[in-house]
Amino acid sequence: MSGNDLGPALATDDDRVEPAAVDRQAGFDRLIAADERLEPRDWMPEGYRKTLIRQIAQHAHSEIIGMQPEGNWITRAPSLRRKAILMAKVQDEAGHGLYLYSAAETLGVDRADLLDLLHAGRQKYSSIFNYPTLTWADIGAIGWLVDGAAIVNQVPLCRCSYGPYARAMVRICKEESFHQRQGFEILHTLSHGTPEQHEMAQDAVDRWWWPSLMMFGPPDEASPHSAQSMAWGIKKHSNDELRQRFVDMTLPQAHVLGLTVPDQDLRYDEESGHWRFGPIDWAEFHAVLKGQGPCNAQRMEHRRRAHDEGAWVREAAVAYAEKQAQREASGAAA
């Protein structure tokens, strides 16, 4: 209910809004209008809370699922230096998931419940991680394109209206910038190497370009949550705005790499100053979201198995924490 609707709502005893509820809603509206941040103890509409939980959980799930396609290449990286860099990157992604689950828990949910929803297929993760990493060049393409898209999408979240989420994004975006540079370096090395290496780099870009554009979500007219999320200050830009920003940022980098993107309709619009790109295959996007992508089943089977095999670690951590708490309590009593 908006502030303009409160008068009629107070007209009868049967349909009366409590003054305290009116004050809370008005306070929330003032914070959003002033572009200020809400903190966990602040009152918020239930719809706002649920939207945040859905978005933060999906983001957290994407980070931990996203460890799989790259972790698969740690043992096959072409040098010790590359192995060390890739291990650090995968470790960063685990940390990002931790920050985000922690931010979600400030909204009154438990990360164990969020993981249960993921494993049951009732919460989603980014569609991009359902594509295979066929060659070493794919690791470069993921860093350059996927992490590059993540940066464009996530930097505005550093200013989102919910404080814990915004603060988590500050560190995540700093680390993502290193990931993007790592991917660019891999592709630059390959594209300026042997003809076979250049061909490998181009093949990876050909396969990852369109899924990277899909990362920003459906077009604005088909995005059911964007308008409300923007009104609440959770999102700062629409899906299509962010997608265009990514294309404009990435194409000059492709020129430096000596690589092309697989889009015959691509052209530069002098009047607008933007690169215009061809139509996206949204049927593919929705099929992958529904579990019909190349690696959906593989990714989820691996995630469930890792979760089950790690149960003893979680149980040991809980037992240790309880033991430490008992010792502290005994010491305090003495």
Side-chain angles (χ1 to χ4, degrees):
M1 180 178 295
S2 68
N4 292 333
D5 296 329
L6 292 177
L10 291 168
T12 67
D13 290 338
D14 293 335
D15 195 25
R16 181 163 295 163
V17 177
E18 292 294 331
V22 176
D23 292 342
R24 289 195 297 266
Q25 181 68 55
F28 172 83
D29 292 341
R30 281 194 297 270
L31 283 172
I32 297 300
D35 198 22
E36 296 181 5
R37 290 177 179 170
L38 281 90
E39 298 299 335
R41 293 186 179 181
D42 293 333
W43 182 88
M44 62 189 70
E46 185 62 15
Y48 176 86
R49 189 182 77 88
K50 288 183 177 179
T51 296
L52 276 170
I53 291 172
R54 175 187 58 79
Q55 180 170 327
I56 297 173
Q58 179 173 322
H59 193 167
H61 298 333
S62 299
E63 294 287 353
I64 61 171
I65 294 289
M67 297 166 64
Q68 292 186 38
E70 294 178 300
N72 183 45
W73 275 91
I74 290 175
T75 59
R76 296 182 287 166
S79 69
L80 286 175
R81 175 176 175 270
R82 294 295 187 190
K83 291 181 193 295
I85 293 172
L86 187 55
M87 286 179 66
K89 182 184 179 186
V90 172
Q91 184 178 24
D92 282 349
E93 289 162 352
H96 297 175
L98 174 63
Y99 309 152
L100 292 164
Y101 286 127
S102 297
E105 287 184 318
T106 66
L107 293 160
V109 295
D110 189 292
R111 73 185 66 189
D113 294 332
L114 296 179
L115 286 169
D116 287 344
L117 291 171
L118 170 66
H119 299 157
R122 294 171 57 195
Q123 284 188 340
K124 293 181 172 62
Y125 56 91
S126 178
S127 61
I128 193 73
F129 299 117
N130 290 311
Y131 291 87
T133 46
L134 304 179
T135 70
W136 172 247
D138 287 37
I139 304 305
I142 289 175
W144 178 48
L145 293 175
V146 176
D147 294 324
I151 291 169
V152 171
N153 193 42
Q154 294 170 13
V155 165
L157 293 175
C158 297
R159 299 181 288 108
C160 88
S161 58
Y162 188 59
Y165 191 22
R167 289 188 289 273
M169 292 313 307
V170 171
R171 178 165 181 175
I172 289 173
C173 287
K174 287 180 179 178
E175 294 176 350
E176 291 288 2
S177 68
F178 286 102
H179 299 173
Q180 196 265 354
R181 294 175 199 175
Q182 170 251 6
F184 184 90
E185 185 201 8
I186 290 174
L187 287 181
H188 191 275
T189 299
L190 292 173
S191 66
H192 291 80
T194 66
E196 291 79 11
Q197 288 173 322
H198 186 281
E199 182 180 354
M200 181 192 300
Q202 184 62 64
D203 173 67
V205 171
D206 289 346
R207 286 183 288 106
W208 287 93
W209 173 251
W210 291 110
S212 296
L213 295 192
M214 297 176 195
M215 279 182 67
F216 296 95
D220 293 344
E221 65 272 14
S223 181
H225 303 293
S226 284
Q228 183 61 75
S229 291
M230 291 177 68
W232 277 331
I234 298 173
K235 290 182 64 172
K236 296 295 184 179
H237 305 281
S238 73
N239 295 350
D240 288 335
E241 288 175 326
L242 293 170
R243 194 173 1 256
Q244 183 65 64
R245 185 177 297 181
F246 171 71
V247 172
D248 291 341
M249 177 189 81
T250 305
L251 288 176
Q253 297 174 8
H255 178 73
V256 173
L257 289 172
L259 300 172
T260 60
V261 301
D263 184 352
Q264 295 180 347
D265 297 323
L266 187 69
R267 63 181 178 83
Y268 185 71
D269 184 350
E270 294 282 354
E271 183 176 350
S272 67
H274 294 300
W275 286 93
R276 300 306 182 191
F277 50 92
I280 296 172
D281 185 356
W282 292 114
E284 176 184 332
F285 171 77
H286 290 295
V288 174
L289 281 184
K290 292 177 182 178
Q292 301 166 15
C295 298
N296 287 69
Q298 175 185 337
R299 299 287 184 248
M300 286 309 304
E301 192 278 331
H302 187 282
R303 171 91 283 276
R304 295 187 189 102
R305 185 175 69 251
H307 185 77
D308 292 342
E309 292 177 353
W312 70 271
V313 178
R314 297 191 297 276
E315 293 168 0
V318 170
Y320 178 78
E322 291 175 347
K323 187 175 182 179
Q324 290 297 107
Q326 291 173 359
R327 286 181 177 175
E328 291 177 5
S330 298

